[in-house]
Amino acid sequence: MSAITGIYQFNNAPIKHDHVRVMMAGFNNFPSDDIQIWINQHIFLGCHAQWITPESICEILPYYDSTRKLAITADAIIDNREELFDRLGVKQDLRKTMTDSELILLSYEKWKEDSPKYLVGDFAYVIWDERDELIFGARDFSGGRTLYYSHTNHEFCFGSTIKPLIKISQNKKKLNEQWIAEFLAISGMVDTVDTSITPYQNINQLQPSHSFIVKHGKVYTQQYCTLSNFKTIRYKNNNDYIESFQEVFHEAISSRLRSHKEVGAQLSGGLDSGAIAGFASRDLKMTGKKLHTFSYIPPEDFVDFTPRHLLTDETPLIKSTVNFVGNIQDNYLSFEGRDPYSEIDPFLDVMEMPYKFFENSFWLKGMFEEAAKDNVGILLNGGRGNLSISWGSAMEYYSMLLKKLKWIKLMRELHLYSLNVGGTRFKRIPSIAQTAFPVLNKILPSSSPYEIPNPINDHLAVKTRVYEKLKDYGIGDNGWFLDDNIFNQRKSHFKEVFHWNASNTLASKLSMQYSLWKRDPSNDLRVIRYCLSLPEEQYVQNGLDRALIRNATKNYLPDNIRLNQNVRGVQGADWVHRMKSQWDKMEIEIDEMVNDQRTEQIFNIPVLKVAAEKLSFGPAPEKAIDPNYKLVMRCLVVYRFIKNSIEGR
């Protein structure tokens, strides 16, 4: 709920007040409900507060507990408050008004460095422990809130954003080649596999699921949370699984509705966002509030080029959900006149680093803008749903049945699946066999993989040993994961901390800019732990993929949404179409980029030139899926970032 910062001056040296001014001034562009600092000789803590929850109104942050000799500054919303109250023995009359930062402080007093293990929510906080003379900080398991730091022989500085740290750093704006190399070498949406580094040398990031201790002039980090090897839950029947899931899921949603402002949700025509809206709307109705939904639609002049099973304008499906669920104030946003190219500089200002999701940049930012106009404090989202609440690929599950030689169950499932989606069961057997036995891919014809040309300079790749490093994380020289088994990929998503870092960095920084939080119930630790404990047959059954969420949303969603297996929505297909008016300007910058000496040591110029030549087809809408177009846009984002950094933007 805040932007936080602080300085720990080693050897008991007094705090430099000019550094305090610089650190706090870095948040001046963000709205605030209160701005406070706390200084105690060699310790400074600061908070640029945004009051989102009822308990946060007039909250004192930074807060010093003179009895416990602990001080805290926190950017946090804690969702398992009742559980913590019980564990910590908090009296009933104190629970309603106790702030989340006080709850974190009590947790630290009881469990010390283990305290983050007991917290569910989105948080980044730092505690000064006066008795033990140390700084302790933690970031939630998926990095829902950002926390950066710099460390010299003289001081330790931290903050929610990077720019203030750069200003007081001894290595002003010196770019980190390792970060740039990883960003370019990875073809997917992951920015880097090393989430401890940033695009700037000597500016580090506390990784998701990690905490740090700063003591005697040294920084020690450790991972406090891992998500793997869960014991499988076994119930007697499907109803028990569904009821248990509904209970956990409902708790995750209801705990995220805690705001004195309005509550909103990003709503598509799909299952995840629809399920969240269905549960949230009922709870809000009991409190006299409506759910404000925000849905992206393409501009009126966009001609859909995608296959029939994809839907770029999901308005009919969204309206079906809205009408069925009720108690919703729906908004349909086309963001006419906005495009990914024009948004590069504003988006870089928000992110403070290059980004890959340029296709959706303008509307992701735009939804925060529109929600803020409606006084929304919480914006619900189902971003992690595909791996948690709506996990379950039918074809992959059927390939597993084939490998285990469970013929009867496979034939029954294929029959029911074919009844649901159309076609015959036998025509799907070859593709299932190829998935089950990859060696068949060498025999049977298959489509070529979608690959973005690799834009990294060979010298930079060798210098940073980036390919060797990526292999340690299961990523090949082509920038894609080596293991294409989706069950193993799912395990990786919850084992490794880098998968969600980029999108959560965006959400955290947009929240500070617009004073509203994106909250994802499908990313709730309680939900994830439950979903990872379920047997696979709960996710694909009776011819239904994503079966758990489909079964659990009966009476919450209309059947044309709940049971839809034929059509799915897709956002961002209109990104090239939107850039028609910017095309000439963009081509001039592309030419500048491939001839700029600053890029010779970063990009593979011959590869980039070949890709740039492909753009001669112009802003044809169907080129939105052309990997050359995507490559050039990614490189433009990096190029603009480098230019802005060197030129001092």
Side-chain angles (χ1 to χ4, degrees), residues 143-157:
R145 310 304 293 173
T146 50
L147 189 59
Y148 304 97
Y149 65 91
S150 63
H151 173 223
T152 68
N153 293 330
H154 307 292
E155 64 184 5
F156 173 83
C157 305

Side-chain angles (χ1 to χ4, degrees), residues 185 467 470-471 474-482:
Y467 293 125
L470 294 184
K471 272 183 184 170
I475 299 175
D477 291 354
N478 63 353
W480 295 103
F481 286 95
L482 295 167

Side-chain angles (χ1 to χ4, degrees), residues 119-136:
L119 306 178
V120 176
D122 299 332
F123 57 80
Y125 63 85
V126 175
I127 293 171
W128 164 241
D129 187 331
E130 189 174 304
R131 289 189 174 126
D132 290 341
E133 294 190 2
L134 62 84
I135 287 277
F136 178 80

Side-chain angles (χ1 to χ4, degrees), residues 276-285 289 291 325-328:
I276 291 168
F279 278 81
S281 175
R282 293 189 183 190
D283 278 13
L284 289 171
K285 189 174 183 179
K289 284 186 175 182
L291 179 66
V325 170
N327 196 45
I328 288 178

Side-chain angles (χ1 to χ4, degrees), residues 262-450:
E262 299 298 320
V263 176
Q266 292 178 323
L267 181 62
S268 71
L271 270 173
D272 299 337
S273 62
I276 291 168
F279 278 81
S281 175
R282 293 189 183 190
D283 278 13
L284 289 171
K285 189 174 183 179
M286 295 173 63
T287 65
K289 284 186 175 182
K290 277 194 171 187
L291 179 66
H292 296 252
T293 61
F294 302 89
S295 304
Y296 173 70
I297 57 174
E300 290 185 359
D301 63 344
F302 174 68
V303 179
D304 191 355
F305 63 88
T306 60
R308 286 188 299 175
H309 69 277
L310 298 179
L311 198 62
T312 57
D313 186 352
E314 299 178 75
T315 301
L317 297 179
I318 296 168
K319 285 187 177 294
S320 180
T321 296
V322 168
N323 294 334
F324 185 90
V325 170
N327 196 45
I328 288 178
Q329 179 64 56
D330 47 335
N331 298 274
Y332 303 87
L333 308 169
S334 63
F335 300 107
E336 297 281 351
R338 298 179 69 164
D339 65 86
Y341 182 74
S342 301
E343 291 283 341
I344 292 178
D345 277 344
F347 220 73
L348 285 173
D349 285 342
V350 171
M351 287 291 293
E352 303 183 291
M353 61 187 67
Y355 57 93
K356 293 181 177 177
F357 34 82
F358 58 85
E359 299 101 323
N360 303 316
S361 58
F362 62 94
W363 68 260
L364 289 172
K365 182 167 171 277
M367 281 196 177
F368 273 75
E369 294 171 359
E370 294 302 315
K373 292 176 184 177
D374 287 347
N375 193 37
V376 168
I378 298 293
L379 187 63
L380 300 173
N381 171 278
R384 204 162 194 168
N386 287 343
L387 294 163
S388 58
I389 62 174
S390 64
W391 170 253
S393 164
M395 293 300 104
E396 296 281 352
Y397 178 67
Y398 298 158
S399 72
M400 185 172 69
L401 293 180
L402 178 60
K403 288 178 71 174
K404 293 181 178 181
L405 303 180
K406 295 187 176 183
W407 299 104
I408 296 176
K409 188 171 184 178
L410 174 59
M411 289 298 104
R412 177 182 177 275
E413 279 288 339
L414 273 177
H415 173 67
L416 293 173
Y417 184 80
S418 297
L419 290 177
N420 289 334
V421 303
T424 65
R425 59 184 175 179
F426 296 107
K427 76 173 185 179
R428 295 185 170 90
I429 291 178
S431 62
I432 293 171
Q434 284 180 272
T435 302
F437 306 106
V439 69
L440 294 176
N441 291 322
K442 298 178 181 179
I443 304 171
L444 301 175
S446 60
S447 59
S448 58
Y450 180 90

Side-chain angles (χ1 to χ4, degrees), residues 6-18:
I7 300 172
Y8 178 16
Q9 200 75 32
F10 301 143
N11 302 319
N12 292 322
I15 290 294
K16 299 175 183 178
H17 287 273
D18 59 330

Side-chain angles (χ1 to χ4, degrees), residues 233-245:
I233 295 172
R234 297 290 181 185
Y235 290 133
K236 292 181 179 180
N237 55 59
N238 279 343
N239 286 337
D240 289 342
Y241 287 105
I242 293 169
E243 289 176 6
S244 295
F245 170 76

